[in-house]
């Protein structure tokens, strides 16, 4: 213990700001000090607050931080396998457990990397483990994001029933509480719409998409409105109302510059290119441009192989519409 190594008694460390009994309670684990108290004690002991809280020396903390940030950047740049490998090594580091914020970030990034490399069962396990220790009443937004990710993975596996069950259960729980919706609530609803459509339930998907637009317009945020319009566009596509689908898709695209999720933005752009091909086949060149851009963006992010494959398939259709069968075959 730092205090003992420095030859200080509890009273010497405590006075004049604290009582020695309070320091004793902290050291025995019967009291959790406030951040201000941690900073005070760290200053008296000549160490950093993070070291005092975790017991991990600053050099080890720096190594963990650098590895984590490197893996996160690799994931953002589309190097999912590299990110997965570095994060697997990091999660095996025994010091990580003493740094809960770094541990949470590492497990979240690891789950995303597993998803991006197609290891969907493993990704679902990671997301579920994170959700199991997080209360939706304590951190609602993070809990929603985890359930969105789990539903998405089940959908990518082809298990539409499980995808619906996860998203529907989370959505019912969140919207059953009083108070306004958040951006994340709308995004969860959008995930549920997609799961309904994957299951073939166009009625439930269409009804929920209308509800999402109403709530998103009330919230007024670009992220919520984009999510609602995007799903409304997909519903219209399933209804074979391609012009309506393009209209909603254009509304969503108009909000692109105000959102930050690059993976979802690239997927939206790919969906819009597909809608353009269906609604306006005479404008296949513009559709091809959108699809090419979407493919580049997906490749540069942590998008999974399924998303990229869908985009390439639509690019092949665009090339065929433009009379380029060889290019279509290449796609």
């Amino acid at each position: 213990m730092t205090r003992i190594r420095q030859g200080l008694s509890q009273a010497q460390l405590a006075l004049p700001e604290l009582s020695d009994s309070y320091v004793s309670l902290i050291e025995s684990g019967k009291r959790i000090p406030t951040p201000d108290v941690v900073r005070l004690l760290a200053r008296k002991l000549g160490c950093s607050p993070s070291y005092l809280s975790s017991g991990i020396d600053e050099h080890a903390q720096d190594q963990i931080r650098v590895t984590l940030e490197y893996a996160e950047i690799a994931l953002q740049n589309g190097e999912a396998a590299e990110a997965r490998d570095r994060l697997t090594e990091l999660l095996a580091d025994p010091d990580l457990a003493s740094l809960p914020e770094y541990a949470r970030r590492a497990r979240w990034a690891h789950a995303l990397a597993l998803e991006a490399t197609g290891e969907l069962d493993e990704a679902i396990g990671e997301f579920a483990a994170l959700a199991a220790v997080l209360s939706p009443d304590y951190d609602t937004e993070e809990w929603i994001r985890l359930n969105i990710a789990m539903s998405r993975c089940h959908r990518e596996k082809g298990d539409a029933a499980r995808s619906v069950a996860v998203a529907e259960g989370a959505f019912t729980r969140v919207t059953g509480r009083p108070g306004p919706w958040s951006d994340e609530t709308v995004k969860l609803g959008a995930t549920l719409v997609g799961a309904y459509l994957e299951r073939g339930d166009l009625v439930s998907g269409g009804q929920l998409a209308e509800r999402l637009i109403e709530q998103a317009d009330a919230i007024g945020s670009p992220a919520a409105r984009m999510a609602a319009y995007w799903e409304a566009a997909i519903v219209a596509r399933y209804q074979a109302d391609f012009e309506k689908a393009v209209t909603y898709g254009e509304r969503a695209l108009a909000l692109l510059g105000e959102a930050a999720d690059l993976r979802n933005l690239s997927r939206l752009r790919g969906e819009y290119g597909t809608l353009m091909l269906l609604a306006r086949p005479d404008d296949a060149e513009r559709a091809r441009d959108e699809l090419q851009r979407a493919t580049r963006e997906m490749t540069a992010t942590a998008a999974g192989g399924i998303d990229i494959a869908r985009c390439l398939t639509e690019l092949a259709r665009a090339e065929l519409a433009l009379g380029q069968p060889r290019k279509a075959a290449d796609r």
Side-chain angles (χ1 to χ4, degrees):
M1 182 182 290
T2 305
R3 173 182 64 78
I4 295 174
R5 283 200 302 268
Q6 296 188 18
L8 296 175
S9 67
Q10 291 179 340
Q12 288 173 320
L13 177 61
L15 297 175
E17 296 91 349
L18 307 171
S19 67
D20 55 347
S21 60
Y22 182 59
V23 170
S24 176
L25 289 171
I26 292 173
E27 291 184 354
S28 64
K30 296 178 180 178
R31 289 289 186 276
I32 298 176
T34 66
D36 285 342
V37 170
V38 172
R39 285 191 288 269
L40 170 66
L41 295 175
R43 187 169 65 251
K44 289 186 171 187
L45 292 168
C47 63
S48 69
S50 60
Y51 172 74
L52 193 61
S53 299
S54 67
I56 309 301
D57 69 69
E58 294 187 20
H59 176 67
Q61 289 188 44
D62 284 343
Q63 286 187 314
I64 288 172
R65 176 183 56 77
V66 169
T67 301
L68 176 57
E69 290 176 352
Y70 169 80
E72 289 173 335
I73 292 170
L75 185 60
Q76 291 167 5
N77 290 339
E79 300 170 8
E82 173 68 13
R84 178 202 58 202
D85 293 345
R86 297 291 78 74
L87 289 161
T88 299
E89 294 172 4
L90 182 58
L91 288 168
D93 188 331
D95 287 342
L96 186 65
S98 299
L99 301 166
E101 178 57 25
Y102 284 168
R104 184 198 62 79
R105 282 172 54 189
R107 294 194 71 183
W108 170 255
H110 187 235
L112 291 175
L114 289 168
E115 180 188 357
T117 54
E119 299 165 83
L120 296 175
D121 286 324
E122 293 81 357
I124 290 168
E126 280 280 34
F127 287 130
L130 284 166
V133 297
L134 186 66
S135 166
D137 300 316
Y138 175 73
D139 192 339
T140 304
E141 306 296 275
E142 185 70 12
W143 186 81
I144 288 176
R145 283 190 284 272
L146 287 165
N147 279 275
I148 288 173
M150 282 190 288
S151 177
R152 182 178 66 234
C153 286
H154 283 297
R155 182 180 172 187
E156 289 177 354
K157 278 185 62 182
D159 190 346
R162 188 59 187 156
S163 179
V164 167
V166 171
E168 198 170 52
F171 187 72
T172 299
R173 182 166 182 176
V174 171
T175 57
R177 301 181 303 182
W181 287 23
S182 67
D183 286 1
E184 297 303 318
T185 306
V186 174
K187 291 177 185 177
L188 176 59
T191 300
L192 180 54
V193 171
Y196 279 144
L197 296 179
E198 193 74 14
R199 191 177 66 178
D201 189 350
L202 185 56
V203 173
S204 296
Q207 291 173 344
L208 181 53
E210 292 178 2
R211 186 181 177 194
L212 293 181
I213 289 176
E214 179 182 342
Q215 291 289 340
D217 285 341
I219 295 170
S221 79
R225 292 169 64 215
M226 188 182 74
Y229 294 153
W230 180 1
E231 292 306 322
I234 297 174
V235 169
R237 175 189 173 189
Y238 272 75
Q239 294 170 334
D241 190 344
F242 301 133
E243 279 297 335
K244 183 178 179 181
V246 169
T247 298
Y248 277 129
E250 287 174 343
R251 289 184 187 178
L253 275 174
L255 299 163
L256 276 175
E258 302 176 68
D261 189 333
L262 296 180
R263 172 182 170 165
N264 275 338
L265 299 188
S266 63
R267 292 172 67 208
L268 172 55
R269 194 180 300 283
E271 183 67 31
Y272 178 68
T274 300
L275 295 174
M276 286 290 295
L277 274 178
L278 292 168
R280 302 168 191 171
D282 56 332
D283 199 4
E285 187 170 355
R286 181 181 172 192
R288 181 185 62 185
D289 291 345
E290 293 288 354
L291 289 162
Q292 285 178 328
R293 182 175 176 183
T295 303
R296 289 194 300 269
E297 291 174 351
M298 287 180 187
T299 304
T301 67
I306 292 173
D307 289 330
I308 296 173
R310 285 174 179 156
C311 209
L312 288 170
T313 303
E314 295 305 318
L315 260 174
R317 292 181 60 243
E319 298 290 6
L320 283 174
L322 290 166
Q324 301 286 346
R326 288 184 180 277
K327 289 184 178 180
D330 289 340
R331 299 295 185 188

